[in-house]
Amino acid sequence: MSAPPPAVSHIGPQGSGKTFLTERVTHELANSHALRVVALSIDDLYLPHERLFAPTHNALLRGRGQPGTHDVPLGRAARRAQGDQHPTARRRAEPGGSGSELRVPRFDKSLHGGEGDRLPEAEWTRVRGPLDVVLLEGWCVGFYPQTRGSVALEDVLDVNERLAEYVLWWELFDCFVQVGPYVHIYKWRLEQEHAMKAKNGGKGMTDEQVESFIDRYIPGYHFFGMGIESGGHDPHTGSRLCPPWLPGEDEETTQTSKGKFLRITIDEDRQVVDIARH
């Protein structure tokens, strides 16, 4: 059995330019290296509107955002389907190597007054295999659950439990890119909303709604963001969880193991000020 196409995951705070960077990388790989690339945002894996706003005691889960508001089984299924589209695998299965068509889920954030909804499957993006590279970007990609003692509030404990399911998703990726810091989130996300509304005729959230929207994300950054560099613990068993882009605890960092984790630091204007490889 041949290996699946390499998969790269990418995190950055809202409005930092994740989508822009992913589009640039996709364009460069396709046009300069003749590679077939599929890019997916974790935002496109949000639950449908009716499930996002189903009754819940947890204020952090009323609407899209936190771990627990994504369709993790759909995301893992999409990743596995993309893995089946590796060129070598397709050539073995089909002498012509033409590959089959994939449908990539899409979520429209402008619907329902800015609350958003998943688009019907007929409107998902169609991608023709075989694939050479898979990209995933999102604000909480790489977050890991922590020990219960390090998480205080009841609502955050609930998110911590739900985050354990995401780890099975993260394990399907080979390397990781982090863009930060997080200090300009409110400004960047407001600019992002204004840009979307300018393109779609004004559909979306008000400035006050954007601020309240970001408020729900802050606990996620605070409690779970450190998992990108240090992993975490299964909240059910207590067992140690190590991200696949970091060396194992019993593994020395060598030149061959180094390079699966790239950190890009940007300033308030989204200009790169530092790049570090780990």
Side-chain angles (χ1 to χ4, degrees), residues 17-44:
K18 296 183 300 298
T19 302
F20 174 77
L21 176 59
T22 300
E23 289 174 350
R24 288 291 298 272
V25 170
T26 300
H27 181 272
E28 181 69 18
L29 291 176
N31 290 277
S32 299
H33 302 278
L35 297 177
R36 290 195 181 187
V37 183
V38 62
L40 179 65
S41 170
I42 198 172
D43 290 358
D44 287 316

Side-chain angles (χ1 to χ4, degrees), residues 245 247 251-261 277-278:
W245 49 86
E251 177 186 350
E252 282 190 35
T253 302
T254 64
Q255 284 303 114
T256 55
S257 67
K258 195 175 181 182
K260 292 184 177 181
F261 178 28
R277 194 185 80 172
H278 302 271

Side-chain angles (χ1 to χ4, degrees), residues 165-185:
E165 184 181 16
Y166 287 59
V167 173
L168 300 174
W169 195 0
W170 307 158
E171 289 175 352
L172 300 175
F173 288 82
D174 305 298
C175 44
F176 193 85
V177 179
Q178 180 185 29
V179 176
Y182 303 131
V183 293
H184 307 299
I185 297 175

